[in-house]
Structure formats: C-alpha cells, structure tokens
Amino acid sequence: MTLSVAPSFEYDVQRTLNRLQPGLQQRAKSPAEWQAFEQNLTLHFPRLFGLLRSLYGDQYDFFYHLEQILHTAFSSWQARSAALKKQDKQRAANPDWFRSENMLGAACYVDLFAGDLKALQEKIPYFKELGLTYLHLMPLFKAPAENSDGGYAVSDYRQVDPALGTMADLKKLATALRKEGIVMVLDFVFNHTSDEHAWAEQAKQGDTEYLNYYFCFEDRAEVDSYERTLREIFPEIRKGCFTWREDMQRWVWTTFNSFQWDLNYRNPAVFNAMAGELLYLANAGADILRFDALAFVWKEKGTSCENLPQAHAVIQAFNAVAAIAAPGLLFKSEAIVHPDEVVKYIGRDECQLSYNPLLMAMLWNSLATRKVRLMTHSLQQRFPIADDCAWVNYIRCHDDIGWTFDDAIAWQLGINPDHHRQFLNRYYTGQFEGSFARGVPFQENPQTGDCRVAGMLGSLVGLEKGLEEDNAAVVDMAIRRILLMHAIIFSIGGVPLLYMGDELGLLNDYSYEQDPAKRNDSRWVNRVAVDEATLAQRNVQGSVAERVFGGLQHLLKVRRQWPVLGAGGTHILETGNIHVFGFTRFRDDEQLLVLANFSETPQSVSQDFIRGAYSHADLFDLLQGEAVPFAEGRLLLAPYEVFWLQARS
Ligand code: GLC
Ligand code: GLC
C-alpha cells in the first residue's frame, strides 16, 4: 500500500487507541472503574505503543498482541483492591516517598529467618525495632524441590511454595507490613522460569506455541553461533549457556542453571504472559519488584546478549504497563554489570531503584587496600543519577561479590584491573598474607581466571578470624569495619539495604558443603538461618551481636533526624588523604560533610581542605553529638572512624 501522506506517530497512537478502546470499555463494571483506568491509559499508552511497536511491530499479528496486553492490564486493574488503588493515589501525590531519610531496607529468606510466612509476620516487632520500612522477601514461589537456585527457578508465579504458606498468607503479611509502614519487595524473576513451569512442561510435550516461549534449538550449529559471543555465568556448574534435553532432543538456552530456562522475549506472547504475572504480584501487595537478572532478557546473535537496547525497551514497556494498571508500583534493577551499563537501567520510566554494585565493590576494595582512590574516582563518575530515582546501597546480599569496577578508571590510577581483581579474590578468600577475611571462592573459572567471592559480612570483615583466635583486638577492628561501611550506606544517598543476619554480625555457615543440592553453589555460605536465640543475643550486654546491632541503631537514630541524609544531592570529594573517603550531602540550605577513615591507623585531613570544600564554621559531629576541634590545622580520625559533620556557627 502506498500512502500519500506519511502518518505521524501521534496519528498512529490515536488511531490504534481508538480501535482498542471500545473492546476494553465494554468490559468495565462501572463508569468510575473505566474512568480511572482510561486516565492512566491516555497518559501511558503512547509510550507503551512506541516501545511495543519497536520490539514487535514487524510481526504479522502485532495488533492482536497489543490488544491482549491491554486486556491483561485492564483485568488486573479490575482486580486491584481499593486499598492498593488508594495507595497508588497517595504515591502519585508524593512521588518521592522512597527517598526519605526514614527509608531502610532489609532482605531475608522466609524459611531461614522465620520458617514460614505466618511466622514471619510475628517478626514484625523486630523489623520495627530495627527501623525497617522496606522488606525484600527472597523468592518464595513454587519451585523445583531439589535445587531451585534459592527460589530463582520459579515454577508458578501465582503459588507460594507450600512449605512457606499460601497466597492468602502472603497477602495478609503484605497488609500487616503496610500497616506498620513497611513496604514489601518481591522478586520478578522474568528472565527465566524453572523447567517445571507449566509453559516448560508444554514445551517438553513438543507444543510449538510453548517451544516458542523459550529458546529451543535442534541444531547445534545454531547454539554454537550464539555461544561464540556469550559469557558463562555459572562456569563451575556447566560449560556454555545451553542445556541438552534428551527428552526433547533439543538444546535449551539456560544462562544460569540447567533447570532455569531463559524466556524468549522476541515472542510478544511471552511479554503479555509475564506482564500478567507482574501485575499479579503487584495486586498481591508487592510495592517494589526486584527485576532479577534483567541484563539478560534480550538475545541477539553476535552480541554478548547482555544489556542490549531491546532489554531496556522490554523493561520500559513493563514500566508503562505498570503505570497503567498498578501505578504505585516501583521497579528495582538488579544489574550487576559494568558501571556504565548499571546506570542505563535507572530512570522514572524504567527502574526507579537500582542496586549499587559499584559502591558495594568499592567499599570492599577500600577495606582491603586501605585506600579510597578507586572508590572516589569511580563514584565521582558513576554515583550521580536522576533526581527522582534512588540507589539501593548495600554491603552484602544473598549473592557473591563481583569486582565490577571500570577498568579504564583503574588504569588511570595506575592499577592493573585484572591483577587487582586477582588480589581482591585472594584477599577475601583469605589467601593473601595478613588478610582478615574468611570468604569462599564462587564460580572460579580456570580458563578466564575469573572468580567471585561469597561470605557473610562478619566473616569477610574479620569477625570470624577474631572470634576463632579469641583476639579481642581483631574482633574490635572487625566491628569497626562493619559500622564504617554502614555509616556510609546510611549517609551517601539512596535506600540503604541490610542483609538479614549482618545486623548481628553473623558468620559463614559451612553446612552447605554437606548438602548435595547446595554443595556446588558456595553462595549458600552466606545464607544463614537466624533463630530466636540468635536474635536474643542483641540484648546480651557486650556480645558481638549487641555491639553491632547497637552501633547500627545509633547510626539509624541519627540518620532519621536529618532530612539532608534522605533526598538530596551528593558530592564525592578528594580529601587529600588516600585513606579517608569523603563526600558532602546537600538539600535546600542544609549541608553535611561525611568523612571515613578506611585504615586501622589514625588519619587526618587538613583544615584547609575542609574550609575549601565545605565550610568555615565550627564543625559538629552528629554521630558523637559533639564539636570536633582541629589540632594543628588538622582534623583527626581514629581507626575506621566516621564523622557526619555539620557546620555550626
Ligand atoms: C540473580 C539472583 C541470583 C540468581 C540469578 C538467576 O542474580 O540474585 O541469586 O542466581 O539471578 O536467577
Ligand atoms: C547474576 C548477577 C551476578 C551474579 C549471578 C549469580 O548474573 O548479575 O552478579 O554473580 O547472578 O550470583
């Protein structure tokens, strides 16, 4: 067909919407229900349409899929509870809610922390005592019994693992948490399903419709042509990224474990089906969805199949769907990739929140080297993000630590990045002479020399060593390291995220070595059970747990008093001392200077630096609640000491 007038994008949008609208509207149960939906639709349909057309516009049945996706959105809207819709409105009126100085997150395993969902609800008083406003429940849906990658192989997004409870328990928990001001964060494991998911079962039966939900190849040459440019994520487990299925006589794409089948987002039916699961989780009460392994969702031959532009388009399209049918929902990016790529997932129209793997890796780097140059230079480039988004700043999580800094910055500082990563791995697995750390190697790849590190915070900072050697001085330094790192994630800007168990200084659990389903995955060393007796340790005067927990509580109490530590700007500084990290926070006319000594020897910064970078007034340390004097023109920091300094006249 030849058109005499080229239609504009706006024209296409309007024409398409006009055609889709009647079919939707006739399903409305009341004019009010439709009106609210229509408002969101009008606002976000152009964006959704543009994205979906860029991904799927050349498919013969594009319009059909578009229609399906809108019907999915409308059905979910109809099913969304009045309470959640009310909350959507409140969030629209206060879009900055997640950037407050009161925000504090934690992640925990339901089974390891409480047993099941009902028992977890009884831990709410503990969460309150800790000051949590955000709780990430590790994957809790139905998954293969033997090995499920810690729940990251989902067999049914709508059924809770029977050992943990029911969907009704989950909804009850979400409501109970909400009442106490704690938002619920769930994983959206959307790059793959387990090989026991109903879709995978159908594919195993040879159903073409469902074979196309995944990447299933009969031809090894096709596999090879992709593999030439792919990285191996779990090299200890299996060579390559595909799994041969004898029962199907096909290769299936499995980026992670062989039982985690990558979904095929080239198929718009997959997008629609997963949009339905996403909205289902939102309606179950999830306030934030953690977009698991999001860098991998689009594959393109000849590329690394990571961080492709289409992956961003898929996530943005999910964002538009959510804006239409669950507008209060936020997305959190789990991109543990090169810092330049991490930031590309962050935006109001993509993921409003993102893990900050660069800060995480740099904190550990600075503890090992006692130097802050790489951290300072890396963060100067990569800490700034859009004002209406936030970092999720963490020290440890359920996964390994990967050294994802920018090689170019390392070279500029005269650091050979490969050698340096090897040093860090040796340091944190305790092989480096004098190291305080007791980590475990994860996914060592003899071919590339790559390796990552697993371990609980306590074991990695020297607590395990100190307690084993019964050396009070080593224990003391370890506790200082724990508080130092937290004093930074509590003040640098963003949502701080604790990893449950770390707030008590818990150590590695080596029992996974005895479990055949876990033995090959050393990340289990940092997935420890927390029982009541362990929690009670926080009340035992002088115990490690009490010292860590009490120290964190003090930091958090101070933090909540100063809005400048919530939403506001951050400026990373060079302090003139390679052992002292520094930054200022600013908001309106409030300002704060944070200084942190990353060495176990006393350090100082010059008065001139402070006067030049920050203030001419007297300095008051909010943490100790006292003025800090200069001594001979210098400000002294004790080993691992942190100041949150305010200028006072
Ligand atoms: C994410 C999870 C990790 C899991 C992987 C595959 O990286 O954090 O635990 O193994 O995705 O789902
Ligand atoms: C994801 C993360 C990576 C992690 C892996 C498993 O790929 O991006 O950092 O190592 O999952 O832990």
Side-chain angles (χ1 to χ4, degrees):
M1 180 177 65
T2 317
L3 299 174
S4 55
V5 181
S8 67
F9 177 72
E10 289 72 27
Y11 175 85
D12 292 350
V13 166
Q14 206 43 59
R15 194 155 170 262
T16 312
L17 194 55
N18 288 346
R19 286 172 171 174
L20 288 166
Q21 189 148 325
L24 291 166
Q25 192 169 358
Q26 74 179 20
R27 291 178 40 217
K29 294 192 192 74
S30 73
E33 180 189 81
W34 172 251
Q35 245 172 36
F37 182 78
E38 192 190 22
Q39 236 178 36
N40 296 341
L41 186 65
T42 311
L43 223 55
H44 300 287
F45 180 76
R47 190 156 70 89
L48 180 63
F49 174 75
L51 290 161
L52 292 176
R53 193 165 73 169
S54 78
L55 291 169
Y56 308 119
D58 58 355
Q59 305 203 12
Y60 78 93
D61 53 356
F62 172 59
F63 185 82
Y64 164 77
H65 287 291
L66 186 63
E67 187 174 35
Q68 293 297 302
I69 291 164
L70 289 188
H71 279 282
T72 299
F74 190 46
S75 306
S76 299
W77 176 255
Q78 291 182 305
R80 194 161 174 81
S81 72
L84 289 175
K85 284 180 176 168
K86 187 171 149 210
Q87 185 179 270
D88 290 337
K89 279 201 189 128
Q90 288 164 349
R91 289 192 178 159
N94 178 23
D96 248 3
W97 65 271
F98 59 97
R99 300 179 63 227
S100 137
E101 63 279 10
N102 290 320
M103 279 302 280
L104 173 67
C108 75
Y109 285 91
V110 176
D111 55 342
L112 294 176
F113 192 72
D116 61 21
L117 286 168
K118 282 205 178 94
L120 191 75
Q121 199 165 321
E122 283 157 30
K123 305 276 179 173
I124 290 179
Y126 179 70
F127 300 148
K128 298 272 291 181
E129 185 184 334
L130 203 50
L132 295 191
T133 59
Y134 160 133
L135 183 64
H136 173 206
L137 302 177
M138 298 302 294
L140 45 82
F141 292 100
K142 195 171 164 220
E146 266 292 282
N147 188 344
S148 65
D149 188 18
Y152 282 101
V154 179
S155 302
D156 186 342
Y157 297 90
R158 302 187 184 213
Q159 196 189 327
V160 170
D161 172 354
L164 302 179
T166 63
M167 224 35 236
D169 294 336
L170 182 64
K171 287 183 188 168
K172 237 185 263 161
L173 175 63
T175 308
L177 289 170
R178 183 167 300 115
K179 220 177 100 203
E180 298 295 343
I182 302 174
V183 302
M184 183 171 84
V185 185
L186 295 180
D187 280 272
F188 184 48
V189 187
F190 74 121
N191 174 68
H192 44 263
T193 72
S194 91
D195 61 349
E196 295 179 7
H197 192 285
W199 304 333
E201 293 297 350
Q202 308 257 54
K204 287 184 206 163
Q205 301 306 312
D207 184 329
T208 307
E209 176 102 20
Y210 290 97
L211 282 167
N212 284 328
Y213 268 49
Y214 303 96
F215 295 90
C216 307
F217 301 125
E218 288 177 297
D219 187 0
R220 177 69 216 187
E222 186 71 1
V223 169
D224 291 338
S225 69
Y226 275 108
E227 265 192 345
R228 266 190 281 279
T229 49
L230 294 180
R231 164 172 88 106
E232 289 177 313
I233 305 299
F234 287 169
E236 278 180 5
I237 291 171
R238 163 182 42 88
K239 285 263 345 120
C241 296
F242 291 80
T243 301
W244 172 252
R245 293 289 306 206
E246 197 58 37
D247 54 345
M248 299 164 73
Q249 291 293 301
R250 281 186 163 91
W251 294 94
V252 180
W253 197 312
T254 53
T255 298
F256 297 92
N257 290 287
S258 55
F259 50 83
Q260 288 164 299
W261 290 15
D262 287 51
L263 285 163
N264 175 11
Y265 279 91
R266 284 172 177 278
N267 178 354
V270 167
F271 180 89
N272 179 36
M274 288 307 288
E277 303 312 73
L278 180 156
L279 294 174
Y280 182 84
L281 296 175
N283 283 352
D287 296 279
I288 300 173
L289 289 183
R290 172 188 180 279
F291 273 57
D292 180 63
L294 82 183
F296 299 90
V297 298
W298 194 273
K299 312 342 186 190
E300 201 73 53
K301 214 176 273 178
T303 74
S304 65
C305 298
E306 288 183 47
N307 306 308
L308 296 181
Q310 295 92 334
H312 291 281
V314 167
I315 300 156
Q316 287 166 14
F318 280 132
N319 177 300
V321 169
I324 292 169
L329 183 71
L330 296 182
F331 293 1
K332 176 171 80 155
S333 156
E334 191 244 349
I336 315 298
V337 291
H338 190 282
D340 291 351
E341 299 296 338
V342 172
V343 292
K344 291 184 190 157
Y345 293 93
I346 305 171
R348 208 66 205 199
D349 286 347
E350 197 163 338
C351 295
Q352 301 88 347
L353 291 156
S354 167
Y355 278 105
N356 192 346
L358 180 62
L359 174 63
M360 185 276 293
M362 288 299 95
L363 288 170
W364 288 108
N365 173 65
S366 294
L367 276 189
T369 60
R370 278 76 169 172
K371 298 197 183 101
V372 303
R373 287 183 315 155
L374 191 57
M375 173 153 66
T376 303
H377 286 255
S378 301
L379 295 182
Q380 275 178 338
Q381 275 202 21
R382 278 300 164 223
F383 194 80
I385 50 172
D387 267 355
D388 51 3
C389 294
W391 286 116
V392 174
N393 297 313
Y394 67 114
I395 298 167
R396 285 301 293 121
C397 70
H398 67 289
D399 278 335
D400 46 291
I401 302 176
W403 308 112
T404 57
F405 55 82
D406 182 348
D407 290 7
I409 295 179
W411 282 119
Q412 278 162 24
L413 299 171
I415 299 168
N416 176 321
D418 290 338
H419 293 175
H420 192 58
R421 288 193 179 92
Q422 279 167 24
F423 157 74
L424 290 168
N425 284 325
R426 282 165 42 77
Y427 195 91
Y428 281 109
T429 54
Q431 297 165 55
F432 188 85
E433 168 98 40
S435 163
F436 48 70
R438 291 281 170 84
V440 177
F442 177 68
Q443 299 297 335
E444 230 167 335
N445 189 336
Q447 253 157 33
T448 59
D450 275 356
C451 177
R452 283 112 77 189
V453 175
M456 284 296 283
L457 171 65
S459 295
L460 292 174
V461 294
L463 255 184
E464 187 173 324
K465 184 173 190 282
L467 291 171
E468 215 171 86
E469 293 171 357
D470 197 16
N471 185 330
V474 175
V475 169
D476 184 57
M477 285 299 164
I479 293 177
R480 288 184 194 219
R481 290 185 192 103
I482 293 178
L483 297 178
L484 164 92
M485 291 168 111
H486 283 93
I488 291 175
I489 66 165
F490 291 167
S491 61
I492 197 164
V495 181
L497 180 68
L498 307 173
Y499 182 56
M500 218 51 117
D502 284 347
E503 82 282 14
L504 304 164
L506 299 191
L507 306 180
N508 285 347
D509 176 358
Y510 297 97
S511 65
Y512 78 99
E513 290 166 349
Q514 264 68 59
D515 183 337
K518 295 180 176 161
R519 192 185 297 152
N520 290 326
D521 189 338
S522 59
R523 290 174 299 172
W524 286 101
V525 85
N526 51 257
R527 298 172 182 173
V528 310
V530 186
D531 59 15
E532 274 304 324
T534 310
L535 288 181
Q537 282 293 311
R538 74 186 185 282
N539 300 320
V540 177
Q541 200 64 36
S543 68
V544 167
E546 186 254 354
R547 289 167 69 190
V548 174
F549 191 88
L552 295 181
Q553 274 198 320
H554 173 66
L555 290 169
L556 289 165
K557 193 175 125 220
V558 177
R559 176 175 186 259
R560 283 191 289 269
Q561 292 163 16
W562 301 97
V564 67
L565 291 172
T570 303
H571 197 72
I572 311 283
L573 302 170
E574 281 194 65
T575 64
N577 180 329
I578 54 167
H579 307 292
V580 179
F581 182 55
F583 54 87
T584 49
R585 297 297 317 279
F586 44 93
R587 175 179 179 155
D588 304 325
D589 44 16
E590 241 187 296
Q591 267 210 61
L592 207 72
L593 170 67
V594 174
L595 294 174
N597 175 5
F598 271 81
S599 81
E600 59 263 84
T601 53
Q603 297 296 332
S604 68
V605 295
S606 77
Q607 191 164 5
D608 289 345
F609 152 72
I610 291 178
R611 299 264 140 103
Y614 179 56
S615 154
H616 287 263
D618 291 335
L619 296 178
F620 187 87
D621 176 25
L622 300 178
L623 291 175
Q624 275 150 86
E626 60 189 30
V628 287
F630 289 98
E632 293 170 21
R634 301 193 70 85
L635 187 62
L636 298 180
L637 292 102
Y640 296 121
E641 186 164 40
V642 179
F643 289 135
W644 289 356
L645 296 172
Q646 203 178 47
R648 291 191 181 172
S649 40

